[in-house]
Amino acid sequence: MVFSFLALSLSAQEVQPADPRYTSDGQLVRPENYREWIFLSAGLGMTYGTAKPEAEQRFDNVFVTREAHKVFLKTGTWPDRTMFILELRASGSHASINKGGHYQEGVVAIEVHVKDESRLPNKWAFFTFKDGEPSAKPLPATSSCQTCHEAHGAVDETFVQFYPTLAPIARSKGTFREEPAK
């Protein structure tokens, strides 16, 4: 009996809710377990403004909560309380035996894209965590992140067009917004 209770207690402690958590003043608490979420994609040197020199290229790793991913697979849309993590990492080359190409190094920044209809005026908001900050305020609705995602997001203000495992699902569900040809 004690063993069963202990096992249940440990299981409950290991499972951390993937819903957004906020401080009393409305800041998002940085999710600590995001590397246990679903990995969607990685990009190297992606930029939506002026291109940066190769020496400054960063890796973008994108994660989404397991619960949101399951709903997306069924519906092609993101449920309320979805969270994405964009983990920005420095890139390195020419270390150890590597003579070409790039590999990931330390975390430079963490950005979180949250859908929370009851809390966020525009349903979605971005939060940027720097230097290991435990919480962050939402970026303004006029931020470049928000306006770019509103204008170019393929599904519900998200860049599904860069997630090769999800774009076909959204297309098959009729939720994918194609960008006009340029």
Side-chain angles (χ1 to χ4, degrees):
M1 181 72 135
V2 171
F3 176 74
S4 296
F5 176 73
L6 181 59
L8 286 173
S9 177
L10 288 174
S11 295
Q13 289 175 3
E14 291 174 9
V15 176
Q16 296 176 349
D19 282 347
R21 294 183 305 125
Y22 301 92
T23 62
S24 60
D25 64 347
Q27 294 189 41
L28 181 71
V29 175
R30 183 175 45 139
E32 294 297 326
N33 64 339
Y34 71 88
R35 293 195 133 272
E36 297 171 10
W37 297 358
I38 301 295
F39 174 75
L40 293 178
S41 188
L44 174 62
M46 293 182 73
T47 180
Y48 310 112
T50 306
K52 294 182 179 182
E54 179 145 348
E56 294 182 31
Q57 287 188 347
R58 301 236 188 320
F59 279 93
D60 298 343
N61 296 317
V62 181
F63 302 86
V64 70
T65 59
R66 291 182 178 280
E67 296 79 6
H69 185 259
K70 286 178 188 175
V71 171
F72 189 91
L73 294 177
K74 291 178 186 171
T75 67
T77 60
W78 299 111
D80 192 30
R81 308 201 35 95
T82 292
M83 282 195 296
F84 287 89
I85 296 282
L86 175 63
E87 177 191 68
L88 302 166
R89 287 187 171 266
S91 65
S93 60
H94 301 93
S96 184
I97 63 169
N98 184 44
K99 303 300 180 210
H102 297 273
Y103 54 87
Q104 296 189 34
E105 291 187 322
V107 173
V108 175
I110 294 176
E111 297 176 359
V112 184
H113 191 193
V114 178
K115 181 178 185 180
D116 194 336
E117 296 180 28
S118 66
R119 186 177 280 272
L120 303 170
N122 294 333
K123 293 197 310 188
W124 287 91
F126 286 87
F127 301 80
T128 300
F129 294 86
K130 296 177 184 172
D131 302 322
E133 294 170 328
S135 62
K137 294 178 183 177
L139 297 179
T142 57
S143 72
S144 61
C145 294
Q146 189 68 43
T147 57
C148 185
H149 275 256
E150 287 172 358
H152 302 287
V155 177
D156 199 17
E157 297 186 21
T158 64
F159 286 169
V160 171
Q161 64 266 38
F162 299 124
Y163 310 147
T165 59
L166 297 185
I169 292 166
R171 283 187 176 103
S172 73
K173 304 283 185 191
T175 60
F176 193 93
R177 182 180 72 160
E178 301 285 348
E179 283 207 71
K182 297 197 185 231

